[in-house]
Amino acid sequence: MTDSTSGMRAACVIGWPAAHSRSPLIHRHWLETYGIAGDYRVEEVPPEAFAAFVKDLAGHGYVGANVTLPHKEAALALAVPDERAKKIGAANTLWLDGAKLRATNTDAEGFIANLDASAPKWDRGLETALVLGAGGSARAVVYGLLDRGVSRIYVANRTLARGEELARRFGAAVHAIQWDEARGLFGATQLLVNTTTLGMVGHPTLDIGLGRLPANAVVADLVYAPLETALLAAARERGLRRADGLGMLLHQAVRGFALWFGTTPEVTPELRRLVEADLLGAAVPAAKSAAGGAG
């Protein structure tokens, strides 16, 4: 299916708001790089109009879409989700399979692919991970870690009940703890992941010392505005390996592009430099949606 006005395939990002999204920059770069006649646009759709919009995705000229806040759970309910999206409880990627609207969640694979690229062999001998936060991004991270075989995952959240809900969703390998208990686990933590908005531009800093983390630990932060958060700066100062939020943003975009345009794109240093330059030119607007997912 193609855009009826131009004859080319088109996809979009749907959010409310969505003007700050870096997804068009990423996907248009790939379209140009691979010589594909296509387009990728921004659609700002309020919650009350979202269902009607995605039910007529083809009528709007699209073969698929990314979905960002606040629509990820609604997208799950309106499409035919795969097992990954159902388990995570949210969808960020839609595509038309004939007349059927299908959905998946690429946040988990984007997180894992970024870890593989940023800290090769990060999972070798890894037994314990600590995830800060218990929202949608945390669910995607936990799914990815379990899929990779991590045997023990602690989830620290300021509201314990949300952490306990996440633990029930994923089973016995996941343990909910109080936020204040997190630092006490650092001695055994081989992977620390921040999925909260702490450290994002316009939000409080994540105030958590890293002194007790093992020397071989990896620190990941899903925030990408600023490009280097205080958490990642502290990890760098300790000589720890790091994975940043921009890397996850780039890697989570790969499968959607492949589904819509038939080519699996590569995350290159050139693409990263392009998005970095854009973020540095508009740091405050980027903070509206700068912690994981299709941004």
Side-chain angles (χ1 to χ4, degrees), residues 208 210 228-240 242:
I208 192 165
L210 302 182
E228 184 181 62
T229 62
L231 178 68
L232 292 177
R236 174 174 50 78
E237 289 166 6
R238 274 214 54 208
L240 302 177
R242 306 170 308 285

Side-chain angles (χ1 to χ4, degrees), residues 64-230:
N66 281 129
V67 179
T68 188
L69 297 175
H71 300 315
K72 290 185 178 185
E73 292 184 5
L76 185 76
L78 291 165
V80 180
D82 62 10
E83 289 304 312
R84 176 175 304 190
K86 285 192 283 189
K87 191 68 175 179
I88 293 171
N92 74 342
T93 303
L94 303 173
W95 74 100
L96 287 168
D97 178 11
K100 189 170 291 186
L101 182 66
R102 296 194 180 275
T104 189
N105 189 308
T106 65
D107 286 340
E109 66 200 79
F111 171 71
I112 295 297
N114 185 42
L115 271 178
D116 287 340
S118 303
K121 301 180 182 177
W122 62 272
D123 56 340
R124 180 168 292 182
L126 190 149
E127 295 180 355
T128 302
L130 172 58
V131 176
L132 305 178
S137 295
R139 294 198 302 268
V141 165
V142 169
Y143 179 95
L145 293 176
L146 291 172
D147 191 54
R148 186 52 76 91
V150 177
S151 59
R152 189 183 303 109
I153 303 169
Y154 291 97
V155 174
N157 196 59
R158 294 200 183 280
T159 305
L160 182 62
R162 290 196 71 188
E164 290 173 337
E165 180 184 351
L166 189 151
R168 284 192 296 272
R169 175 184 289 268
F170 289 103
V174 183
H175 311 273
I177 61 172
Q178 299 276 7
W179 182 264
D180 293 340
E181 295 180 90
R183 199 170 295 175
L185 293 174
F186 275 13
T189 296
Q190 295 150 293
L191 173 66
L192 174 66
V193 186
N194 176 41
T195 73
T196 76
T197 58
L198 293 173
M200 187 188 297
V201 173
H203 291 256
T205 300
L206 175 55
D207 184 16
I208 192 165
L210 302 182
R212 294 191 60 206
L213 284 179
N216 65 343
V218 177
V219 176
D221 198 332
L222 272 55
V223 171
Y224 60 81
L227 288 167
E228 184 181 62
T229 62

Side-chain angles (χ1 to χ4, degrees), residues 245-262:
L246 177 54
M248 176 176 169
L249 175 69
L250 300 176
H251 283 283
Q252 65 80 31
V254 168
R255 188 150 64 105
F257 189 91
L259 286 165
W260 307 321
F261 301 112

